Amino acid sequence: MLKSTFNPLFCELFPKSKFPKLTPHVITNAFTSCTPHVRQNVSTKHTIDLAPTSAYIHLPFCRKRCHYCDFPIVALGSASTEIDDDPRVINYIQLLCREINAMKVNINDKMPLETVFFGGGTPSLVPAQLVLLVLEALSGKFGVSEDAEISMEMDPGTFDARKMEEMMKLGVNRVSLGVQAFQEKLLRACGRAHGVEEVNESIGIVKSCGVENWSIDLISSLPHQTTDMWEETLRLAIDAQPTHVSVYDLQIEQGTKFGTQYTPGEFPLPSETQSAEFYKMASRMLSDANYNHYEISSYSKSGYECKHNSTYWKNKPFYGFGLGSASFVGGLRFSRPKKVNEYMKFVQDLENGLLNCSGNDQIGIKDTAMDVVMLSLRTSLGLDLKSFEESFGSSIVSSLLETYKPYVESGHVVCLDEKRRAIGEGDLNTCLLQDENNQERKVAYIRLTDPEGFLLSNELISLAFEVMDSYDFCSPLQEAA
């Protein structure tokens, strides 16, 4: 089920995104002191040598904290819409730019950024002139491609047409609109600072300003949410004609208001069966409306997949800047402090050369294999077995295929050939083994089915982790020897 027990790998990367909780990693725990929390498993067997071309920027300011939110934010007050002169915002932006400038980068490896993602918080609260300072810092440090995807999370009621146009002039060309629901009752129950009227106004602004690439973010399994409510929300989202829709299943986090009020699976929260029906309904309705379900929580019109988020799904390196953000540079996954005072100390230490947020381009082969499997199976493309075998050996591929064989038969996993054609159940016994001439397997890819396989993703990925956790990894060359 989508509600499961593992902490998500990228829970700190997507401030509005509540992903299915998958992964054994230790990299996303919150800072409890100013000591950086990292995971760096050094191995000569596998090298991460790509220069990042993506950057996540955390702008933590909100009018108020939503009842489900456990992300690092700074609440400015419900009446805050214009914060040009707020010293908290100005000081933070200055600190953020200092962090960007203090980042150690090998000039020979530096590449222009192809994606920038402003998350929060509510980035649309920040004045355009301050956003400009951040973009200038990024451009000066790394360079930004002329055709870069520059995304910004924007909440209804926090921007007007003038501000939208100002952001577009800065280069913002993708908007992620935090709608969450189309019912006044549900928005109030979640502690959202906006209502349905502001939702409709914001959709009108985005469309009238000519933003071509924009997403609507929705949350399912809210308290008191009914099937009719969810169907209405999906229908209204489709009617708005965004190029992208993100659907997140509510997670009840400790330390939040919802965490003290509710128990997952108990009324007024939907049961796991009801949550599964919400997910199936989203998959069906959005697919019928010609949205491609390209990742567990993400749907898009053809050509409008989020390029920035695809960096994560492809396990590529990326920069992260700002309060609580995570980065993956040189094989090092690094999380910044979640508290402002500790973040200030972190930036000072970075400037003084006491910290390094990038690794030595090496990472443990087992950790990398786990990352690749988990992230690949979150997508509709699935796991490329040929590439995986080249990196990690044929034995582990055989073990994974054997483990998933019952789930192929049950319809939760599908095997594909090199042309991405599904391999029939009747060919299963041969497709999971080498042929009589000991040639390549017929299976070139495996992926989870939509929606049944995605709904079982936690269990299926956990099975893969169990296989890999007990596996003695060696390079393909060592295996052949």
Side-chain angles (χ1 to χ4, degrees), residues 38 69 100 111 114 126 145 162 164 209 232 282-283 300 302 309 315 330 335-336 341 346 362 380 448:
V38 301
C69 175
I100 294 170
M111 296 183 65
E114 297 175 2
V126 178
S145 299
R162 177 182 175 182
M164 184 74 260
C209 288
E232 179 186 46
S283 176
S300 75
S302 181
N309 287 356
N315 203 34
S335 297
R336 286 139 188 82
N341 289 339
F346 158 78
Q362 294 179 323
S380 61
L448 307 187

Side-chain angles (χ1 to χ4, degrees), residues 221-239:
S221 301
L222 294 169
H224 300 287
Q225 191 173 43
T226 65
T227 300
D228 288 344
M229 288 178 176
W230 182 233
E231 183 176 14
E232 179 186 46
T233 286
L234 290 168
R235 178 176 54 78
L236 292 173
I238 292 169
D239 289 347

Side-chain angles (χ1 to χ4, degrees), residues 52 76 92 212 411 429:
L76 300 175
Y92 177 82
E212 179 182 351
N429 290 330

Side-chain angles (χ1 to χ4, degrees), residues 19 38 51 62 94 118 154 196 203 209 223 254 281 307 327-328 335 379 429 456 480:
F19 296 118
V38 301
C62 285
Q94 292 174 343
F118 289 97
M154 306 184 78
V196 175
I203 291 173
C209 288
Q254 292 185 354
M281 182 183 293
K307 294 178 182 178
S327 58
F328 180 32
S335 297
T379 71
N429 290 330
L456 203 64

Side-chain angles (χ1 to χ4, degrees), residues 43-316:
S43 170
T44 58
K45 297 177 182 177
H46 195 86
T47 302
I48 304 295
D49 56 3
L50 297 174
T53 57
S54 295
Y56 172 81
I57 310 296
H58 190 68
L59 302 180
F61 306 102
C62 285
R63 289 182 286 182
K64 55 188 279 192
R65 182 179 288 277
C66 298
H67 298 341
Y68 52 78
C69 175
D70 70 338
F71 294 106
I73 71 162
V74 176
L76 300 175
S78 297
S80 298
T81 54
E82 288 296 330
I83 54 176
D84 302 52
D85 300 323
D86 193 313
R88 294 170 293 180
V89 180
I90 295 172
N91 292 340
Y92 177 82
I93 294 297
Q94 292 174 343
L95 194 62
L96 180 62
C97 291
R98 285 170 54 192
E99 184 196 352
I100 294 170
N101 291 326
M103 178 72 183
K104 293 181 180 179
V105 180
N106 187 332
I107 192 168
N108 295 321
D109 296 334
K110 183 172 68 173
M111 296 183 65
L113 298 176
E114 297 175 2
T115 73
V116 177
F117 195 103
F118 289 97
T122 308
S124 50
L125 282 173
V126 178
Q129 63 267 27
L130 295 181
V131 174
L132 174 61
L133 294 179
V134 178
L135 287 171
E136 288 178 339
L138 291 171
S139 181
K141 188 69 176 183
F142 309 106
V144 178
S145 299
E146 289 186 6
D147 59 348
E149 177 192 86
I150 302 180
S151 302
M152 176 173 283
E153 291 182 341
M154 306 184 78
D155 276 2
T158 64
F159 64 97
D160 54 18
R162 177 182 175 182
K163 190 164 193 177
M164 184 74 260
E165 291 169 352
E166 289 176 343
M167 294 299 184
M168 293 173 70
K169 288 179 181 178
L170 297 183
V172 174
N173 51 24
R174 185 179 182 278
V175 169
S176 182
L177 193 61
V179 172
Q180 317 310 2
F182 280 89
Q183 293 79 31
E184 199 75 37
K185 175 183 177 181
L186 293 184
L187 292 173
R188 286 199 305 269
C190 289
R192 297 293 288 174
H194 67 263
V196 175
E197 182 178 351
E198 287 84 3
V199 167
N200 293 326
E201 288 176 355
S202 66
I203 291 173
I205 291 169
V206 169
K207 297 175 75 170
S208 66
C209 288
V211 180
E212 179 182 351
N213 190 359
W214 66 288
S215 177
I216 284 181
D217 292 352
L218 303 174
I219 300 179
S220 64
S221 301
L222 294 169
H224 300 287
Q225 191 173 43
T226 65
T227 300
D228 288 344
M229 288 178 176
W230 182 233
E231 183 176 14
E232 179 186 46
T233 286
L234 290 168
R235 178 176 54 78
L236 292 173
I238 292 169
D239 289 347
Q241 298 181 315
T243 52
H244 190 283
V245 180
S246 294
V247 177
Y248 304 119
D249 191 58
L250 177 69
Q251 302 296 319
I252 302 299
E253 308 288 356
Q254 292 185 354
T256 65
K257 187 170 183 178
F258 274 3
T260 62
Q261 289 180 323
Y262 304 126
T263 300
E266 296 183 6
F267 184 83
L269 296 178
S271 66
E272 287 200 352
T273 299
Q274 290 172 311
S275 293
E277 290 305 314
F278 288 161
Y279 188 80
K280 292 177 183 178
M281 182 183 293
S283 176
R284 182 180 67 254
M285 290 182 64
L286 290 167
S287 296
D288 288 347
N290 295 318
Y291 287 89
N292 301 318
H293 194 179
Y294 71 97
E295 187 272 332
I296 282 181
S297 303
S298 307
Y299 303 78
S300 75
K301 295 292 187 178
S302 181
Y304 288 96
E305 297 82 1
C306 180
K307 294 178 182 178
H308 182 84
N309 287 356
S310 294
T311 297
Y312 308 135
W313 313 140
K314 294 176 182 178
N315 203 34
K316 292 183 177 180

Side-chain angles (χ1 to χ4, degrees), residues 421-455:
R421 297 172 301 192
I423 295 174
E425 188 175 330
D427 299 326
L428 191 58
N429 290 330
T430 57
C431 82
L432 295 183
L433 301 170
Q434 292 178 320
D435 63 24
E436 59 185 7
N437 297 317
N438 205 35
Q439 297 297 310
E440 272 188 13
R441 299 171 180 80
K442 294 180 182 179
V443 180
Y445 305 90
I446 56 172
R447 65 173 176 83
L448 307 187
T449 56
D450 177 19
E452 299 296 342
F454 280 157
L455 279 167

